[in-house]
Amino acid sequence: MFSPGTKRQNLNRRKDRNQFQTPSDLHSPVTPLAENRKSQYDNNYVPNRPSTGTPAPWATRLSVLARIPPAGKSEKGDETDPIKPVFVGEFPQVVRDEQISFLRKHVSGEACISGGMDKGTCLSWIICGDRLFIWNYLSATDSNKCAILEIPSNVLDDGDTGRNSYNVSSWLLSIVNWDSTSRQASKVAPHCNAVGIVLCNQKTRAIVYWPNIVERVTTPVTKFASSDELVVASSLFDGKTTPNSQQCSSKVRSSLAGTASFNSLITCAVPDTQQTCVALACSSNGELWQFYCSPSGIHCNKVYHDIPNVASQSSENGQLAGSKGYPRSLIWGFSLFSVKEPNSQFFLLTDHEILCFNIKLGPDLNVSKLWSHEIVGTDGDLGIKKDLAGQKRIWPLDVQVDDQNKVIVVLVATFCKDRVSSSSYTQYSLLTMQYKSGTNIHSDVHNRVLEKKAPIQVIIPKARVEDEDFLFSMKLRVGGKPPGSAIILSGDGTATVSHYHRSFTRLYQFDLPYDAGKVLDASVLPAADDGEDGAWVVLTEKAGIWAIPEKAVLLGGVEPPERSLSRKGSSNERSAQEERRNLSLVGNVAPKRVSSDAWDAGDKQKAAMTGIARRAARDEESEALLGHLFHEFLLSGKVDGSFKKLQDSGAFEKDGETSVFARTSKFIVDTLAKHWTTTRGAEIVSMISTQLRDKQQKHNKFLQFLALSKCHEELCSRQRLSLQTILEHGEKLSGMIQLRELQNMISQSRSTGVGSPHSHSEIHTSGALWDLIQLVGERARRNTVLLMDRDNAEVFYSKVSDLEEVFYCLDRQLQYVISVDQPDGIQIQRACELSNACVTVVRTALQYRNEHHMWYPPPEGLTPWYSQPIARNGMWTIASFMLQLSNEKPRLDMSAKLDVYAHLEELAEVLLEAYTGALTARFERGEEHKGLSNEYWNRRDALLESLYQQVRGSGAADNQVMDESAEEKNVEILKKLSSSLLPIAKRHEGYKTMWKICCDINDSELLRSLMHESMGPTGGFCQFVFKQLYEKRQLSKLLRLGEEFPEELSVFVKYHRDLLWVHEVFLHQFSAASETLHVLALSDNEDSVSATEDDEDTDCFAFEPTLSDRRRFLNLSKIAAMAAGKDDDSVTKVKRIEADSKILKLQEKIIEILPADEVKQYIGGSLFRPEELIELCLKSENPELALQAFDVFACTSSSFRKSHRNLLEECWKNAANLDDWVQLYQASIAEGWSEGETLQQLRDTLLFQASSRCYGPDAETIDEGFDEVLPLRQENMEVLTLKDMSSSVEAILMQHKDFPYAGKLMLTAIMLGSVKVDVED
């Protein structure tokens, strides 16, 4: 497909070439070891097999060293070449045996082996003859678990496939995942609980359905499309009925009957049904078929039979070119699963457009067309513009959709002819489409729903002209790494990765030697945690499954064979001179073949020039120099001039993990053992400890080298993070060694079990820790494709620097290690085993840090690796699981409870220590720490509280016999059991647990001792104890205990005024006590108890004083003020206290006068502000309350009256309104009142009484009188303005509605009230 002009050498020429190999060729990069090349099938499997080539797939699993060329290794000698593919897994043995038997029965070249891969379930499949094999290609442990299905003989196609046919595979297969969570689970541990298989024969159009292969239901359900449906009208191609249609009808039928095969198949599970799915298939005669598959049978229905094909693209002679291969492919789009009716969309690719259909996954399975988008037409903005100069034919070959169902990618081939040279060529490109913004994809019909996401990506501008069979054999896959890349599978067995980056296309072709067979299919490794898919993986016909690393595409990819976009000449016609001329222009990029033949190209600078990121040459030189100097030190023990050389090379310029020293340390601890790959499973465990000890010895030598060469001093002063990273590698290496020893101890304890039915290998490869090791190793293998051929345990014990992944897998994948379906005893055993592993690793790291503390840099601001979130969350996950076990399993026996408690206590200690390290680093860096502190406090309290509850439960269980000393014994047992928990609570300020322990054992001496030892910057345990006593209202005990801790008590009572005044009286601070009591009496309920600061714990006892309590506080405040002395300040303070006492009495009186229905809402100790009391009096319209409002004003300060003058004016208006002045005026005229009678009548009016209380000789006020705020009479009535209408009581009354009649009486009332007048006068 992607080959330039020079044709590939045929098989015979390749055979001849291999006959002249030199002896050095026996050590070719792809040549297996001699002992591995010998196999019982060597002489039968592939005739005349050359001595070089792909490793024999039937041999035992080969060592990595056998597949790595000497020139392909890195300078370090044990890293594989990053641009080579990586072997992932071998075929199951049953598949290999069937292949051998199948190939023996068929002539070479005629045998057809079909196969494919499913991304969602990580399953691969191969069909050999009449047998279907399905297995999980990702997990090495499941490679031997292969499902074998027999294909019914009546659906097999016995016709001649044709030797020259590229698409000899006549099978379409789709996997239905019944497990709704399996797709998510596949991200961490791909495993399918239940899958169904739909198999379709493209030519016979037979459907075979296996409902569930996991349940070993191997009897399939079959169905054939009706034969009469194969006959279609001759007008299908051109849309017209010609006069000769009747004559050629039989000819068309016969031709279509042989060519109208299915091109694509997709399936989807039907919700709320039992193992029922719907399958959709499109055929090359324009039909769309629907199959309803259930265990009881298959029902087929032809949904569409007239899918349009343009078929109007003219060939060179003007004849119509048929569209026999269309519609091409089906692919699922968006899914909308509503409660009422689930729907799903799918796309169908024709020869000129993309059709979108919607299928209702209900009982009727209704299929409806939503929209269509023309991708081949006259408008280039919509897709590919046709009828351009030199353009003869356009083939849309395949369509794919990304995982988010947002991007649609179409593989397109264009047949062109250069008008100048008359040479023909084919251009391959990728058309990327996306939904237009604002488009509702779930509505019925749209116009122009798609738009180009990017310009058309030309993969190969000029390629060899191929026939349609070859074009239609191509398949497209999207989603792998590098992000945005695509892989094209061709019928000749090659897989080419296309990566479009920064307007340049790079190609990487996976093409194993001929004896490996063809590439059957390609897929993508499951998504990692960042959400991006993994690397590309390919399924070969004979050589197993291989992965293409991302670096292989980035570093090994080359430009398309024809770099010139001009159409002068074609790649299949250029001469050798032109080839040499192009070589001189483009450098050392091999133009003859864009394939894995370029893996051994020596010049890699071309990739770096195109934007591929690499480390600077200066860093590489520094790292190489450091490695050389360290090697010399290992041999001679000398470090002469090492520091100067490293300094001159720039080795001290970078800090952290990018430092050359940190990278060298990482290389030492992460080195892969060269001979581990010769064994697998239980055999590997015997040599792990030795390898780890060798690494530790070498790492210690590296530390000695740093010290002797003075590099340690430089790192300690300038690169603290680098030095910390190096020493943390030593911590992790020590932890890994202890983890290995722990695994050995677990295995030995199981092997010594009496009557153990397990074999020796099962003992070493079982248990929770072993399963965790497998998970971590599997995760590392999937994240690093170059490790895919290694064993999980080997990868785990080799990648020492990634020890944090243990905690990551505990956090994210604990359900795969401990299942809730397991018995309680097994769950407890496995949880304790994992907890012990965490404690072992962290304690070993802490021990290493203590032993090597002189090596560490100043720790300010540096966070230890075990204090990082990934480690903390992992430990908390297993701890919370153990908490759940202890809380939800109350009927556990005592031994199980004690086991859980012991392991949980150790785990809590190291977890809280990790939090302490993280918080300390944040404090030192000055970063925000509130969120981390809250997390630490919550988890600390949860752990300590649960542990203490278990201690109390164990103590009560041990002392069930009731006698006279039972209580004392219970206290002693509790004190003994809590002795180990108390230090943990004390170190991490677990004050709740400390308090409960002291209370339960009733030990006041222990309480005082802990209060002295746990002071802290904010009072520590003392403040907590004071708070507990305060909440229990044990105030006398609190004050007596506070005598021993005066400073802490002073801090506590500062925020508790109801205790502060007592403390101040105790200290003879009477003036301060009077002020405290005064504030306490008048404070609101929400702040009367605690005037805490913002960061103070406000969850304290709420004491709500009643009105009587407030009156008592005021009386005490007056006494304290009088005790302070008789100076002017004390006298003023006493008057203010007395005034507040009067206001308090007025509130009580006002509440008594209020109606019964309004009294309810004022019952309690709520204190009203003076203005609230006044407004309450005004609203009531009660004469008595109206006068009480003036009394409230009289008890307030002058400043209050000035600031609330408007309210005072309203009081006078209210007083005037409550008397009938018109009636009084009429009575005075009718009866002829004398002055004495007038005075007698006016004394009962509110105006008279209010004037007497505010302006009379007996009026009592604080500070200045009412005259300073509101005078009684207006001084100058002649010049009264609008502004002065409220300047006096007289002016206010003048605005009254009755003033024109009874104004004289009103003024008389206020004037008489302001002076003392005898009634008899």
Side-chain angles (χ1 to χ4, degrees), residues 873-974:
N873 293 337
M875 287 187 283
W876 169 249
T877 299
I878 185 63
S880 58
F881 180 81
M882 298 176 72
L883 289 177
Q884 183 180 359
L885 277 180
S886 58
N887 294 333
E888 296 182 357
K889 311 292 183 182
R891 297 184 179 180
L892 295 177
D893 57 78
M894 184 55 60
S895 61
K897 290 182 178 180
L898 293 177
D899 200 17
V900 171
Y901 173 80
H903 285 87
L904 185 57
E905 184 182 72
E906 294 178 346
L907 183 60
E909 184 177 6
V910 297
L911 174 58
L912 297 179
E913 195 66 33
Y915 270 103
T916 302
L919 283 170
T920 302
R922 286 206 180 183
F923 289 147
E924 294 169 346
R925 293 194 299 265
E927 297 177 356
E928 193 278 329
H929 56 82
K930 187 175 182 180
L932 181 60
S933 298
N934 291 332
E935 180 181 301
Y936 167 54
W937 296 332
N938 293 334
R939 294 183 175 181
R940 174 202 63 191
D941 294 342
L943 287 170
L944 295 180
E945 183 177 356
S946 177
L947 287 171
Y948 185 64
Q949 290 300 326
Q950 296 181 45
V951 168
R952 295 184 63 182
S954 300
D958 290 342
N959 190 28
Q960 296 179 355
V961 179
M962 301 299 297
D963 53 18
E964 64 281 357
S965 60
E967 186 175 354
E968 296 180 0
K969 292 182 179 179
N970 190 24
V971 170
E972 291 297 327
I973 293 175
L974 188 60

Side-chain angles (χ1 to χ4, degrees), residues 1136 1170 1174 1189-1209 1254-1255 1260-1270:
R1136 183 67 264 171
I1174 295 170
F1190 290 102
D1191 291 338
V1192 174
F1193 267 116
C1195 295
T1196 58
S1197 63
S1198 177
S1199 59
F1200 178 84
R1201 290 191 287 270
K1202 290 179 181 179
S1203 60
H1204 294 82
R1205 177 171 173 169
N1206 294 334
L1207 194 59
L1208 180 58
E1209 295 172 2
C1254 298
Y1255 301 96
E1260 296 181 2
T1261 58
I1262 302 297
D1263 299 332
E1264 300 173 350
F1266 281 86
D1267 290 330
E1268 300 297 329
V1269 179
L1270 189 66

Side-chain angles (χ1 to χ4, degrees), residues 2 69 125 221 271 274-275 343 379 440 463 521 534 548 571 801 823 939 973 983 1046 1074 1076 1081 1194 1196 1212 1260:
F2 299 111
W125 56 273
V221 182
Q274 189 69 25
Q275 296 181 354
N343 294 269
D379 190 350
N440 183 8
D521 200 357
I548 303 175
S571 59
S801 64
R939 294 183 175 181
I973 293 175
S1074 175
T1076 301
T1196 58
W1212 282 107
E1260 296 181 2

Side-chain angles (χ1 to χ4, degrees), residues 207 320 363 527 581 727 807 943 1175 1178 1237:
I207 300 294
L320 294 177
R581 184 168 60 252
L727 292 168
F807 302 97
L943 287 170
E1175 291 175 354
L1178 293 177
E1237 292 175 338

Side-chain angles (χ1 to χ4, degrees), residues 17-18 20-31 51-53:
R17 180 189 64 189
N18 287 290
F20 300 95
Q21 289 180 336
T22 61
S24 61
D25 293 335
L26 295 177
H27 302 286
S28 170
V30 289
T31 303
S51 57
T52 61

